[in-house]
Amino acid sequence: MHSDDGQAGGSCGEGSNGGEVRPGNSHPEGTHPQDSPRPADSAPSPRNGSDPCGPLTVLAQPPSLTPLLAVGALRSPFKRPAATADFPRTRLVLPGLRVDLARLAAYERVCGFPTGEDALPVTYPHVLGFPLAMSLMSGRDFPLPLLGLVHTSIEITRYRELAATGEYELTVYVDGLAPHLRGTEAAVVTELRVGEEVVWESVSTYLARHRTKGTDRERDREKHEPLPGVDEWRLAGDIGRRYAAASGDRNPIHLYPLTARLFGFPRAIAHGMWTAARCLAAHGTPQAVLVRAEFRAPVLLPGTVTYAANGERFELCGGERVHVSGGVHPLT
């Protein structure tokens, strides 16, 4: 799996156990606090959606990514992706979660966020929730192959500032499948709660490329004039290794030129979620915010890119090529 910064090839993961589980009140099987409504402008597009009352699996600790990646890779050749396929309805719940502050500080440094504040960066809950997402996507009942899976976009809604020292509950589930011009796309939802309140949530889309009839349209992208450049970033060749150490995502395409070449890249590429986080660290985000980012092309390491922004919009570009585009929209 990889990010569509075009990242193809090896098993992937955007995250690891970036927190630790403390004893907490887990909810009995089949029950859960009422979900907070998602803002109308951030609702996902209609798709073969999941049952919001699907069964719950309450976890005692975050799953380990390495065996999940291995199992998902082994199962990939036997998957038959289709937008009409069945998919897991289970919701994975991890209560009593506290953040590992040392790992958080490493993440903040590599992504450019301020360090030492009692606040989680807007993208950090994705790191916390990704092992649960991987548990679902590597499962036998998930219809899309993990190998070659492309992270095409993420939409994040943060309803208020999140304390780094707080205790949270994570919920992750597959929201549904949708046809795409180049294959089938899955939506995976991650929610972070304090008590019964949803304080942060995201929708990530993952694309499995396969032959289609060509009748379904790819998600429309808004057409904009190029944004004015704000800063030029020279990216070191070890960015992928530094982000991997902080996030737990040790996909070989991000680590070394040799391991990246095994999957068709001339040298290592930056993590898609690192590029989004780096842009958001530069742009800044209000406490209550809706963030959208699309991953459009890989960033080769080492390399030079231009961070561009105008108002709510931002981009990361290399020459005329757009690697990431997105927007930061305050919630009112």
Side-chain angles (χ1 to χ4, degrees):
M1 176 184 156
H2 48 87
S3 310
D4 187 31
D5 23 325
Q7 300 170 9
S11 314
C12 125
E14 294 281 5
S16 80
N17 304 348
E20 55 181 332
V21 178
R22 304 287 179 85
N25 295 325
S26 60
H27 303 286
E29 184 76 18
T31 66
H32 201 279
Q34 179 67 34
D35 291 352
S36 298
R38 180 181 290 113
D41 64 351
S42 66
S45 58
R47 56 183 76 241
N48 179 18
S50 67
D51 180 359
C53 300
L56 295 182
T57 297
V58 179
L59 306 177
Q61 61 185 11
S64 176
L65 276 176
T66 301
L68 293 176
L69 293 170
V71 169
L74 290 173
R75 287 175 173 164
S76 291
F78 305 99
K79 299 298 182 76
R80 297 293 180 266
T84 56
D86 198 9
F87 58 90
R89 264 65 175 183
T90 300
R91 292 183 172 219
L92 299 182
V93 179
L94 180 64
L97 178 68
R98 288 189 178 274
V99 172
D100 181 327
L101 297 181
R103 178 166 285 178
L104 171 62
Y107 176 90
E108 291 170 334
R109 286 192 295 270
V110 73
C111 295
F113 291 106
T115 59
E117 299 180 358
D118 187 16
L120 295 181
V122 67
T123 50
Y124 196 69
H126 175 85
V127 173
L128 299 174
F130 195 77
L132 280 67
M134 284 297 303
S135 182
L136 293 172
M137 292 191 289
S138 63
R140 191 184 305 274
D141 54 350
F142 185 72
L144 308 186
L146 196 62
L147 287 180
L149 203 61
V150 174
H151 192 185
T152 52
S153 71
I154 188 167
E155 179 179 283
I156 294 171
T157 307
R158 182 175 65 186
Y159 296 100
R160 61 176 173 84
E161 188 173 87
L162 309 177
T165 54
E167 183 175 298
Y168 300 99
E169 178 181 277
L170 272 171
T171 301
V172 179
Y173 60 94
V174 179
D175 194 40
L177 305 177
H180 188 283
L181 181 65
R182 293 180 289 169
T184 297
E185 199 171 56
V188 178
V189 173
T190 300
E191 298 170 340
L192 198 67
R193 282 180 169 80
V194 173
E196 297 187 1
E197 179 190 6
V198 176
V199 294
W200 184 101
E201 62 184 337
S202 72
V203 181
S204 280
T205 55
Y206 297 93
L207 173 66
R209 291 182 171 128
H210 59 84
R211 289 184 179 181
T212 67
K213 296 179 180 179
T215 56
D216 298 313
R217 296 183 62 186
E218 187 175 359
R219 180 175 53 246
D220 291 334
R221 287 174 172 162
E222 294 184 33
K223 305 299 182 182
H224 295 293
E225 293 296 320
L227 299 182
V230 175
D231 199 4
E232 185 176 87
W233 298 338
R234 294 184 179 180
L235 308 182
D238 67 348
I239 285 290
R241 296 190 292 277
R242 291 172 55 205
Y243 185 84
S247 70
D249 180 358
R250 292 181 171 84
N251 186 332
I253 63 178
H254 304 304
L255 303 181
Y256 300 99
L258 179 59
T259 55
R261 282 197 291 269
L262 295 174
F263 299 101
F265 295 97
R267 55 187 191 270
I269 60 176
H271 296 71
M273 282 304 296
W274 177 84
T275 62
R278 184 68 185 88
C279 288
L280 291 169
H283 190 284
T285 55
Q287 292 185 9
V289 66
L290 170 67
V291 170
R292 294 188 176 100
E294 287 192 6
F295 306 113
R296 300 172 62 175
V299 176
L300 296 174
L301 300 173
T304 300
V305 293
T306 299
Y307 166 69
N310 186 20
E312 296 179 339
R313 294 172 49 219
F314 66 85
E315 289 179 343
L316 192 66
C317 307
E320 296 183 357
R321 191 177 198 188
V322 177
H323 300 288
V324 182
S325 64
V328 175
H329 311 284
L331 295 181
T332 57

